[in-house]
Amino acid sequence: MASAPFAGAASAATIGVAFADDDTFLKLLRAGVEDEASKRGDVSLTVEVAGKDADRQMDTLKSFIDHKVDAMIVNLVNSDNGKAVSQMASEAGIPLVYVNTQPINAAELPRRQTFVASDDEKGGTLQAKEACRLLNGKGRIVLMMGELTNPAARRRSDAVAAVAKTEECSGLEIVERQSANWKRDQGTSVMGEWLNADVAFDAVLANNDDMALGALRIMSLRGLPMDEIVVAGIDATPAALTAMKTEELDFTVYQNASAQGAGAIKAAIDLIAGEKVPPAIDIPYELVTPANLANYVE
């Protein structure tokens, strides 16, 4: 899947953009990248989606380098490829911006490289603390995780576990945890397995909204007392905000895809211009509850 392959005015900066996949959040992230590029008018994008195929993504990046793009924006399929990607870009003299997925070498990026994202530990912490508050510090949690190879899934999940060990939330117990790979249908399947196994729980915390919505689907079909169970996700996707409006989803945590995308374009342009860019650019997470929902709904 590509857009405007290596096309544009001669004066425009050419940026190769490589996405890991096209799930709900990454579609919003892509829109943020493309909207910012469109606003500027001096940027020509080539966008490729790897379909979670790390080898395919590496081939895409080699093609970007062969075509001498002015900069690359990369949402990694596999964070472990960070060192190799950084080396490729550095040797080619091409500025590199990682977006959303943290590369394994984030702490030691070469010059003219940066990482734009939201701090997943903070996102998981916000989610867990709000669940703790709603449960009055005591309850059984089932934790639905993203892909286990993805650092965002690990950091969000670890943050939930860390909150459960704090004094004020020590009454929380994680009774089950399983990956549903960021997918809504897998969220439904995992929740179905837990229900079939008679797992008792007071809260469902999912690493993203799609998995939470998938869990809600089968919980509702099975007739669970939804007013007695806390269900929360992360991202604040349009579907999740709609579920909050109908009082199905209790809360979510906003990951600003638009700001991440815009930040990636801005960082790439600054690096092309030779300006100094920090090695990490944080786009803060925000807790979305019924009290402030109106601020996030158009």
Side-chain angles (χ1 to χ4, degrees):
M1 185 184 299
S3 65
F6 311 109
S11 60
T14 302
I15 300 176
V17 186
F19 285 103
D21 201 15
D22 60 353
D23 63 27
T24 301
F25 179 81
L26 292 182
K27 286 177 180 176
L28 295 172
L29 179 60
R30 175 173 178 169
V33 167
E34 293 177 338
D35 288 349
E36 181 64 22
S38 178
K39 289 176 186 176
R40 298 186 66 94
D42 58 351
V43 178
S44 174
L45 299 181
T46 297
V47 181
E48 296 286 349
V49 179
K52 295 188 178 181
D53 185 329
D55 291 336
R56 178 180 171 186
Q57 185 172 72
M58 293 298 283
D59 288 341
T60 291
L61 299 180
K62 291 174 184 176
S63 177
F64 287 166
I65 291 171
D66 289 343
H67 284 84
K68 302 185 186 304
V69 296
D70 295 304
M72 297 191 298
I73 295 174
V74 182
N75 166 245
L76 286 167
V77 172
N78 187 338
S79 62
D80 289 344
N81 284 345
K83 286 186 178 180
V85 173
S86 285
Q87 183 176 349
M88 287 166 52
S90 184
E91 290 177 352
I94 295 175
L96 172 63
V97 179
Y98 291 106
V99 64
N100 185 252
T101 299
Q102 179 174 320
I104 194 171
N105 59 323
E108 49 184 15
L109 292 177
R111 61 181 297 273
R112 302 184 76 200
Q113 297 188 15
T114 188
F115 170 48
V116 179
S118 301
D119 186 332
D120 291 301
E121 181 179 349
K122 292 179 181 177
T125 299
L126 281 172
Q127 184 190 57
K129 285 187 173 181
E130 179 64 6
C132 177
R133 186 186 71 81
L134 293 174
L135 293 170
N136 295 314
K138 183 178 181 180
R140 296 158 297 187
I141 293 173
V142 290
L143 181 59
M144 206 167 280
M145 301 179 291
E147 293 171 349
L148 300 183
T149 57
N150 189 301
R154 296 195 298 267
R155 287 170 61 83
R156 293 175 194 178
S157 299
D158 288 348
V160 172
V163 169
K165 293 178 181 178
T166 61
E167 182 177 354
E168 61 269 33
C169 300
S170 59
L172 299 180
E173 178 187 5
I174 300 174
V175 295
E176 289 286 349
R177 63 173 76 200
Q178 188 171 330
S179 172
N181 294 308
W182 307 118
K183 301 296 186 182
R184 190 177 303 192
D185 59 345
Q186 292 189 39
T188 299
S189 297
V190 169
M191 177 53 67
E193 292 174 9
W194 287 337
L195 294 177
N196 290 340
D198 293 324
V199 175
F201 55 89
D202 304 295
V204 181
L205 300 187
N207 283 171
N208 78 342
D209 287 334
D210 271 357
M211 294 186 293
L213 294 174
L216 277 172
R217 179 189 300 160
I218 192 167
M219 290 168 67
S220 178
L221 287 173
R222 296 284 186 92
L224 270 68
M226 301 306 298
D227 58 338
E228 299 176 10
I229 301 172
V230 173
V231 182
I234 291 177
D235 285 339
T237 62
L241 296 177
T242 296
M244 284 187 65
K245 287 176 66 177
T246 56
E247 299 184 354
E248 297 170 276
L249 190 70
D250 289 283
F251 69 92
T252 185
V253 182
Y254 180 44
Q255 183 179 195
N256 195 331
S258 178
Q260 286 187 23
I265 288 290
K266 292 174 183 176
I269 293 298
D270 286 346
L271 288 170
I272 291 170
E275 297 182 19
K276 189 173 182 179
V277 174
I281 299 171
D282 179 47
I283 308 297
Y285 276 103
E286 302 168 25
L287 182 65
V288 184
T289 69
N292 66 355
L293 176 61
N295 297 334
Y296 297 88
V297 178
E298 294 182 358

